[in-house]
Structure formats: structure tokens, C-alpha cells
Amino acid sequence: QLQLVESGGGLVQPGGSLRLSCAASGFTLDYDNIGWFRQAPGKEREGVSCIRRTGSNTRYADSVKGRFTISRDNAKNTVSLQMNSLKPEDTATYYCATSRAWDCSLSPRDGYDYWGQGTQVTVSS
């Protein structure tokens, strides 16, 4: 069974950090671009960060630049999102997804086919 599973979410105070992981089972991530997206209640799903299959290119939403870092470990078949200096507006459900496009994209409509179930991130004091 092909599956993507996100983990690492939780409740954190403003200014804190979390590290999200996206793990694949049943297939290898070696040939996929990986995107991280988030969706807050009542809002559209938005791109947070993505990394190309080779790791040679990464993209970040302006709102997270300098605070979030995406990385991949093909040996472990995982992609991580290190989130520092978290703000209340980062509160959302975070999803990872795979795409076979030439390069990664921050648009959830650009060829992302497999999606995880999401992990909740809540930033609150």
C-alpha cells in the first residue's frame, strides 16, 4: 500500500520550533519532488516549501523564508521541514505531497498526486 505519513506536529509557544517529517511506505521518494502545504480553518491550502527530487532546488513561501528549512534523506525515505521562530499564524494542518514534475512547485495544483493525511501544528501561548 502506497502511503505518505506526516509526523512531528503539536502545540508549541510562539518563538518555538518543531520538526515535521514526511515518510513514505510502499514506494521510494527518490524520483519525486516533495511539497509541504498547510491549511488553516476557513482558508485555502497554501504551499509552504518544496524540494526537487535531486535536492538541487528548494522553494519557500515568503511568509516562512528564513524560518523554515526543508531537507530530504533519500536513504531514510523521508523529507523533513524544520520550523523555527514559529508564529501563531503558522497554525494549520500541514501536509506533504509528491509530484513527478520537472521541478517542485508551491502550488498544490501543480501535479501533486500522493498526499499524506496531515499533522496539526498549533502555535499558541
Side-chain angles (χ1 to χ4, degrees):
Q1 184 178 2
L2 307 181
Q3 210 172 10
L4 278 178
V5 179
E6 302 94 339
S7 62
L11 173 64
V12 64
Q13 290 187 343
S17 298
L18 285 173
R19 186 177 182 86
L20 304 184
S21 290
C22 173
S25 62
F27 68 106
T28 176
L29 293 177
D30 289 5
Y31 308 110
D32 292 278
N33 308 312
I34 306 298
W36 279 100
F37 301 87
R38 67 187 181 187
Q39 188 166 18
K43 294 188 176 182
E44 289 190 356
R45 190 167 296 188
E46 64 174 356
V48 175
S49 182
C50 69
I51 187 166
R52 199 174 181 210
R53 64 178 64 80
T54 59
S56 59
N57 190 32
T58 58
R59 301 179 192 274
Y60 297 92
D62 288 344
S63 59
V64 307
K65 278 180 183 176
R67 300 188 298 122
F68 290 11
T69 303
I70 192 170
S71 60
R72 64 189 303 154
D73 186 339
N74 286 353
K76 295 182 178 179
N77 216 24
T78 60
V79 174
S80 298
L81 184 69
Q82 178 67 41
M83 307 188 298
N84 298 329
S85 302
L86 283 161
K87 304 175 180 180
E89 50 264 44
D90 294 319
T91 296
T93 301
Y94 283 70
Y95 302 88
C96 64
T98 66
S99 108
R100 292 287 176 101
W102 175 250
D103 200 353
C104 74
S105 167
L106 292 179
S107 171
R109 289 173 289 277
D110 277 353
Y112 286 96
D113 39 23
Y114 284 107
W115 290 80
Q117 294 301 305
T119 185
Q120 177 66 37
V121 171
T122 303
V123 185
S124 175
S125 55

